Amino acid sequence: ASDVRYAVRSMRRNPGFTAVAITALALGIGANTAIFSVVNGVILQPLPFREPDRMVHLDESYPDGGHNGAVSIPKYMAWRNHEVFAATALYDQGGLNQTLGSGDPPIQVKTLHVSEEFFEVFGGVPALGRVFDRTEDLPGGPSTAVLTYRIWQSRFGGDPRIVGRTILLNKRPFTAVGVMQKDFESAPPADAWLALQADPNSTNQGNYLTAAARLKPGVDLSQARAAMRVIAEQFRKANPKWMRDGESVAVIPMSDLMVEDVRPALLILLGAVGLVLLIACANVANLLLARAASRQKEMAVRAAIGAGRWHVVRQLLTESAILAAAGTGLGFALGAWGVRLLLVVAPGNIPRLTDTNSLHAAIPVLDLRVAAFTMVVAVVTVILFGLFPALRASNPDLATALKEGGGRAGTGHAHNRARSLLVI
């Protein structure tokens, strides 16, 4: 307690030093907090689906490790009924904008064509009515639609009689058969889902649809990949012109697929702001060394009257900890503001960050993981910028220190070498 009181008094006597040190730390910690918040929201947070670790994307894979991103109907039909998957789904790669209604006035909604098991793959349960059945997902089947909870509330006033009601999409009639639960969303997001009605006997090998699956309980990724390699080889032999030698089926975790294009950039950016924090720590350590040089006489007197080295180190580390605490608090606030700035200036293709249609697009700036990260950063900064100056200042040569302290503070060769090392 006495160390804290002394440290606070000492910092009050040197407001310029205190302000510069706290500002430097706040900028370094704030940059790290902001970028880690984005990394946390985009990469580390689980997908907003039921049991997201069991969700996989099915795709063609090539010998160089790449994949196509889309599949054809015949390939999907060959892959879908297999013992490793609890459900499989085929759907549009992107939503289609359509006009809902003919009056009131009409509004633009995003629709997605999906196969029968789509909602089982994405773990959705209807809040009202049902999802598509087998007959509705066949060519020539009835035109049906499943609505999001949001559209049901905003457009139809939460009318419980919506099930069975006819709605108009681009002036075409569709029967609303269900409303999904409030927190359900798909990838890509949509306001309404329409039955895909893919022909199981199709010979169209155009790759223009997306395939996903949910692993059966107890089936891991390696088992699924091994089983799908066998199916891919069978399909390749039966259709050699549609799959060349070396091509196979890629089974990719859905979480990896959604962030694979931005993961390297985000991790590089996180490393870059980590270096910014190191620069801030080096600057503050330099400030502490300069300040310690001006306090050589004080330290020499402490040692001369019996203060042990640990006592001096503890005092100086207490001062560093207070600086770090203040810098962390300000840095956390700067990090929260920085995330909002990133949302404004970020390119519009970062999944889970810039998708304004997603219910889960907001980055949780102040969640426990980000708070824990910031606290760890604070502890590390105390060690990085506080320990070295404290050790340097706690073991003075009494005679030399008293000489250097008398009018030539800060000009000792040892301190100058240490400060030059930090600059380098």
Side-chain angles (χ1 to χ4, degrees), residues 48-49 150 184-190 258 351-362:
F49 310 121
R150 180 178 63 83
F184 176 78
E185 69 171 280
S186 60
M258 292 185 68
R352 311 184 70 191
L353 177 66
T354 54
D355 185 2
T356 56
N357 292 317
S358 174
L359 296 173
H360 300 266

Side-chain angles (χ1 to χ4, degrees), residues 402-416:
L402 287 172
K403 289 179 182 178
E404 292 187 350
R408 295 194 307 117
T411 61
H413 294 300
H415 282 84
N416 287 339

Side-chain angles (χ1 to χ4, degrees), residues 13 16 19 25 97 102 106 110 120 140 148 172 179 185 227 239 252 260 268 275 277 283 333 361 363 392-393 402 419:
R13 288 195 300 268
L25 292 174
N97 288 323
S102 58
K110 183 171 286 188
E120 185 177 354
T148 62
R172 290 180 54 210
V179 176
E185 69 171 280
N239 304 272
I252 307 169
E260 66 176 355
I268 289 172
L275 293 177
L277 180 60
N283 278 308
I363 301 300
R392 292 287 306 170
L402 287 172
R419 293 171 63 188

